[in-house]
Protein backbone atom coordinates (compact mmCIF):
# COMPACT_ATOMS: atom_id res chain seq x y z
CA UNK A 1 0.00 0.00 0.00
CA UNK A 2 2.80 2.38 0.95
CA UNK A 3 4.60 1.50 -2.28
CA UNK A 4 1.53 2.40 -4.35
CA UNK A 5 1.24 5.75 -2.57
CA UNK A 6 4.89 6.50 -3.27
CA UNK A 7 4.48 5.66 -6.97
CA UNK A 8 1.42 7.89 -7.13
CA UNK A 9 3.34 10.81 -5.57
CA UNK A 10 6.27 10.35 -7.95
CA UNK A 11 3.92 10.26 -10.95
CA UNK A 12 2.13 13.39 -9.74
CA UNK A 13 5.39 15.26 -9.23
CA UNK A 14 6.63 14.26 -12.68
CA UNK A 15 3.42 15.47 -14.26
CA UNK A 16 3.64 18.71 -12.37
CA UNK A 17 7.25 19.22 -13.49
CA UNK A 18 6.32 18.38 -17.08
CA UNK A 19 3.45 20.87 -17.07
CA UNK A 20 5.65 23.53 -15.48
CA UNK A 21 8.34 23.02 -18.09
CA UNK A 22 5.77 23.32 -20.90
CA UNK A 23 4.40 26.54 -19.44
CA UNK A 24 7.91 27.93 -18.98
CA UNK A 25 8.79 27.10 -22.59
CA UNK A 26 5.66 28.83 -23.83
CA UNK A 27 6.40 31.81 -21.59
CA UNK A 28 10.00 32.05 -22.79
CA UNK A 29 8.93 31.77 -26.43
CA UNK A 30 6.32 34.51 -25.94
CA UNK A 31 8.87 36.65 -24.09
CA UNK A 32 11.46 36.24 -26.84
CA UNK A 33 8.85 37.01 -29.50
CA UNK A 34 7.75 40.11 -27.61
CA UNK A 35 11.35 41.29 -27.21
CA UNK A 36 12.07 40.73 -30.91
CA UNK A 37 8.86 42.51 -31.88
CA UNK A 38 9.60 45.47 -29.62
CA UNK A 39 13.16 45.60 -30.95
CA UNK A 40 11.93 45.56 -34.54
CA UNK A 41 9.40 48.32 -33.82
CA UNK A 42 12.03 50.43 -32.05
CA UNK A 43 14.49 49.97 -34.90
CA UNK A 44 11.87 50.87 -37.49
CA UNK A 45 10.80 53.86 -35.39
CA UNK A 46 14.39 55.05 -35.00
CA UNK A 47 15.17 54.87 -38.70
CA UNK A 48 11.82 56.41 -39.53
CA UNK A 49 12.46 59.29 -37.15
CA UNK A 50 16.00 59.67 -38.47
CA UNK A 51 14.73 59.80 -42.05
CA UNK A 52 12.04 62.29 -41.05
CA UNK A 53 14.50 64.60 -39.29
CA UNK A 54 16.94 64.25 -42.18
CA UNK A 55 14.28 65.37 -44.63
CA UNK A 56 13.36 68.33 -42.39
CA UNK A 57 17.03 69.30 -42.07
CA UNK A 58 17.53 69.09 -45.85
CA UNK A 59 14.48 71.28 -46.41
CA UNK A 60 15.81 73.78 -43.87
CA UNK A 61 19.20 73.78 -45.63
CA UNK A 62 17.47 74.54 -48.92
CA UNK A 63 15.42 77.32 -47.31
CA UNK A 64 18.52 78.93 -45.79
CA UNK A 65 20.41 78.75 -49.10
CA UNK A 66 17.50 80.27 -51.00
CA UNK A 67 17.10 83.04 -48.42
CA UNK A 68 20.80 83.92 -48.61
CA UNK A 69 20.71 84.02 -52.40
CA UNK A 70 17.70 86.34 -52.38
CA UNK A 71 19.33 88.66 -49.85
CA UNK A 72 22.50 89.32 -51.87
CA UNK A 73 21.42 92.81 -52.92
CA UNK A 74 20.14 93.69 -49.42
CA UNK A 75 23.49 92.83 -47.88
CA UNK A 76 25.10 95.70 -49.78
CA UNK A 77 26.48 98.59 -47.77
CA UNK A 78 26.24 101.95 -49.56
CA UNK A 79 27.54 105.39 -48.81
CA UNK A 80 27.11 108.65 -50.72
CA UNK A 81 29.76 111.32 -50.96
CA UNK A 82 30.05 114.79 -52.49
CA UNK A 83 33.06 116.89 -53.33
CA UNK A 84 34.17 119.91 -55.36
CA UNK A 85 37.12 119.99 -57.71
CA UNK A 86 38.78 122.99 -59.31
CA UNK A 87 40.64 122.73 -62.60
CA UNK A 88 42.96 125.60 -63.57
CA UNK A 89 45.08 126.17 -66.66
CA UNK A 90 47.42 129.04 -67.57
CA UNK A 91 49.44 130.05 -70.57
CA UNK A 92 51.31 133.01 -72.03
CA UNK A 93 53.05 133.89 -68.78
CA UNK A 94 49.79 133.71 -66.90
CA UNK A 95 47.96 136.14 -69.13
CA UNK A 96 45.67 133.42 -70.52
CA UNK A 97 43.70 131.65 -67.82
CA UNK A 98 40.90 129.11 -67.67
CA UNK A 99 39.25 127.41 -64.74
CA UNK A 100 36.27 125.17 -63.96
CA UNK A 101 34.71 124.48 -60.57
CA UNK A 102 32.74 121.28 -60.59
CA UNK A 103 30.62 119.70 -57.88
CA UNK A 104 30.11 115.96 -58.16
CA UNK A 105 28.39 113.21 -56.14
CA UNK A 106 28.96 109.50 -56.04
CA UNK A 107 27.93 106.28 -54.35
CA UNK A 108 30.37 103.66 -53.16
CA UNK A 109 29.12 100.11 -52.59
CA UNK A 110 30.62 97.21 -50.67
CA UNK A 111 29.36 93.75 -49.87
CA UNK A 112 29.75 90.04 -50.44
CA UNK A 113 30.96 89.61 -54.01
CA UNK A 114 29.87 85.98 -54.32
CA UNK A 115 26.99 84.97 -52.05
CA UNK A 116 27.73 81.31 -52.82
CA UNK A 117 30.90 81.59 -50.75
CA UNK A 118 28.81 81.80 -47.58
CA UNK A 119 28.87 78.46 -45.75
CA UNK A 120 26.75 77.34 -42.82
CA UNK A 121 26.00 74.39 -40.56
CA UNK A 122 22.79 73.59 -38.70
CA UNK A 123 22.64 71.77 -35.36
CA UNK A 124 20.86 68.41 -35.10
CA UNK A 125 17.94 69.96 -33.26
CA UNK A 126 17.72 72.63 -36.00
CA UNK A 127 17.71 75.40 -33.40
CA UNK A 128 21.22 76.77 -33.97
CA UNK A 129 22.94 77.85 -37.17
CA UNK A 130 26.58 78.84 -37.60
CA UNK A 131 27.43 80.94 -40.65
CA UNK A 132 30.83 81.76 -42.13
CA UNK A 133 30.74 84.96 -44.18
CA UNK A 134 33.47 86.04 -46.63
CA UNK A 135 34.88 89.53 -45.99
CA UNK A 136 33.15 92.39 -47.75
CA UNK A 137 34.74 93.79 -50.89
CA UNK A 138 34.48 97.07 -52.72
CA UNK A 139 31.95 96.38 -55.48
CA UNK A 140 31.37 99.72 -57.17
CA UNK A 141 32.19 103.40 -57.00
CA UNK A 142 29.97 105.37 -59.35
CA UNK A 143 29.49 109.05 -60.06
CA UNK A 144 25.79 109.90 -59.86
CA UNK A 145 25.84 113.59 -60.74
CA UNK A 146 28.12 116.47 -61.65
CA UNK A 147 27.47 120.18 -61.91
CA UNK A 148 29.67 123.02 -63.13
CA UNK A 149 29.47 125.73 -60.50
CA UNK A 150 31.60 128.28 -62.19
CA UNK A 151 33.99 128.43 -65.12
CA UNK A 152 36.00 130.77 -67.25
CA UNK A 153 37.28 129.57 -70.58
CA UNK A 154 40.07 131.15 -72.60
CA UNK A 155 40.42 130.08 -76.20
CA UNK A 156 44.19 129.86 -75.81
CA UNK A 157 44.03 127.45 -72.83
CA UNK A 158 40.69 125.66 -73.06
CA UNK A 159 39.70 123.05 -70.49
CA UNK A 160 38.52 119.98 -72.33
CA UNK A 161 35.63 117.82 -71.13
CA UNK A 162 37.94 114.83 -70.88
CA UNK A 163 40.18 116.76 -68.49
CA UNK A 164 37.19 117.35 -66.24
CA UNK A 165 36.29 113.66 -66.36
CA UNK A 166 39.87 112.69 -65.54
CA UNK A 167 39.93 115.01 -62.52
CA UNK A 168 36.60 113.64 -61.27
CA UNK A 169 37.87 110.08 -61.73
CA UNK A 170 41.00 110.82 -59.70
CA UNK A 171 38.96 112.56 -56.98
CA UNK A 172 36.55 109.63 -56.94
CA UNK A 173 39.42 107.19 -56.32
CA UNK A 174 40.75 109.41 -53.54
CA UNK A 175 37.30 109.45 -51.92
CA UNK A 176 37.19 105.64 -52.02
CA UNK A 177 40.65 105.37 -50.43
CA UNK A 178 39.59 107.77 -47.68
CA UNK A 179 36.41 105.81 -46.93
CA UNK A 180 38.33 102.53 -46.89
CA UNK A 181 40.85 104.01 -44.47
CA UNK A 182 37.97 105.05 -42.19
CA UNK A 183 36.73 101.44 -41.95
CA UNK A 184 34.14 101.35 -44.71
CA UNK A 185 34.66 97.61 -45.31
CA UNK A 186 34.47 96.88 -41.57
CA UNK A 187 31.10 98.61 -41.51
CA UNK A 188 30.04 96.54 -44.52
CA UNK A 189 31.05 93.33 -42.70
CA UNK A 190 28.98 94.33 -39.67
CA UNK A 191 25.95 95.21 -41.79
CA UNK A 192 26.09 91.88 -43.63
CA UNK A 193 26.45 89.96 -40.36
CA UNK A 194 23.61 91.83 -38.63
CA UNK A 195 21.30 91.50 -41.60
CA UNK A 196 21.94 87.78 -42.04
CA UNK A 197 21.33 87.23 -38.32
CA UNK A 198 17.94 88.89 -38.59
CA UNK A 199 17.06 86.75 -41.60
CA UNK A 200 17.97 83.52 -39.78
CA UNK A 201 16.06 84.51 -36.65
CA UNK A 202 13.05 85.19 -38.87
CA UNK A 203 13.38 81.62 -40.18
CA UNK A 204 12.91 80.33 -36.64
CA UNK A 205 16.44 79.68 -35.36
CA UNK A 206 16.91 80.28 -31.64
CA UNK A 207 20.63 80.99 -31.97
CA UNK A 208 22.56 82.45 -34.89
CA UNK A 209 26.35 82.64 -34.85
CA UNK A 210 28.27 84.45 -37.59
CA UNK A 211 31.98 84.80 -38.24
CA UNK A 212 34.22 86.01 -41.04
CA UNK A 213 36.06 83.40 -43.09
Amino acid sequence: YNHSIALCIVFTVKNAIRCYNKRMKRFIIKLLFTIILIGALCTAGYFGWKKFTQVKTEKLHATVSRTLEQSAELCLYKMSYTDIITIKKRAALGLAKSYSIVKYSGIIRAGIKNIDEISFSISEDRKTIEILIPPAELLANDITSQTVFDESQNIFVPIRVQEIFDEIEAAKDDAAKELLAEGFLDDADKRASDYIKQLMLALGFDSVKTALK
Side-chain angles (χ1 to χ4, degrees):
Y1 177 74
N2 291 335
H3 180 68
S4 297
I5 293 175
L7 289 175
C8 184
I9 293 173
V10 170
F11 180 75
T12 302
V13 171
K14 285 183 176 181
N15 281 338
I17 293 173
R18 193 179 296 113
C19 291
Y20 175 77
N21 287 338
K22 286 182 179 180
R23 286 196 298 270
M24 283 300 296
K25 285 181 180 179
R26 286 197 295 270
F27 174 75
I28 292 173
I29 291 172
K30 288 181 179 180
L31 181 61
L32 289 174
F33 177 77
T34 302
I35 292 173
I36 292 172
L37 180 61
I38 293 174
L41 291 174
C42 289
T43 301
Y46 170 75
F47 284 107
W49 174 82
K50 190 174 183 180
K51 181 65 176 179
F52 175 73
T53 55
Q54 182 181 357
V55 169
K56 290 192 69 174
T57 300
E58 289 175 355
K59 287 183 178 179
L60 188 55
H61 267 269
T63 300
V64 170
S65 297
R66 186 167 58 253
T67 301
L68 290 173
E69 290 173 3
Q70 294 172 349
S71 68
E73 180 67 23
L74 297 176
C75 284
L76 285 177
Y77 184 60
K78 306 176 185 179
M79 183 171 289
S80 301
Y81 58 90
T82 299
D83 201 357
I84 295 176
I85 60 170
T86 301
I87 304 169
K88 298 179 179 180
K89 295 181 72 174
R90 293 185 180 187
L93 300 177
L95 297 177
K97 302 177 182 179
S98 292
Y99 68 86
S100 288
I101 301 175
V102 181
K103 178 182 179 181
Y104 72 94
S105 298
I107 295 179
I108 186 170
R109 297 175 176 86
I112 302 169
K113 189 172 184 179
N114 185 359
I115 206 75
D116 293 333
E117 292 182 2
I118 295 179
S119 59
F120 61 90
S121 61
I122 299 174
S123 62
E124 291 185 2
D125 60 5
R126 298 182 299 281
K127 293 182 178 180
T128 300
I129 184 170
E130 297 183 0
I131 305 175
L132 291 178
I133 305 172
E137 300 178 41
L138 186 62
L139 301 179
N141 184 14
D142 303 314
I143 298 300
T144 57
S145 67
Q146 57 188 38
T147 305
V148 177
F149 266 8
D150 190 15
E151 67 177 351
S152 176
Q153 293 280 5
N154 188 295
I155 59 173
F156 297 105
V157 281
I159 297 175
R160 299 187 303 274
V161 173
Q162 187 58 48
E163 290 178 308
I164 296 177
F165 286 159
D166 291 343
E167 285 293 325
I168 291 176
E169 193 69 22
K172 180 185 74 172
D173 292 340
D174 290 340
K177 291 177 182 178
E178 185 177 344
L179 287 173
L180 292 176
E182 292 173 355
F184 180 69
L185 291 181
D186 293 335
D187 293 339
D189 287 333
K190 186 177 185 306
R191 173 181 169 79
S193 176
D194 291 345
Y195 185 74
I196 288 173
K197 280 183 179 179
Q198 293 303 317
L199 287 177
M200 296 302 106
L201 290 172
L203 288 179
F205 289 102
D206 293 338
S207 176
V208 180
K209 301 176 182 178
T210 60
L212 288 178
K213 282 187 172 181

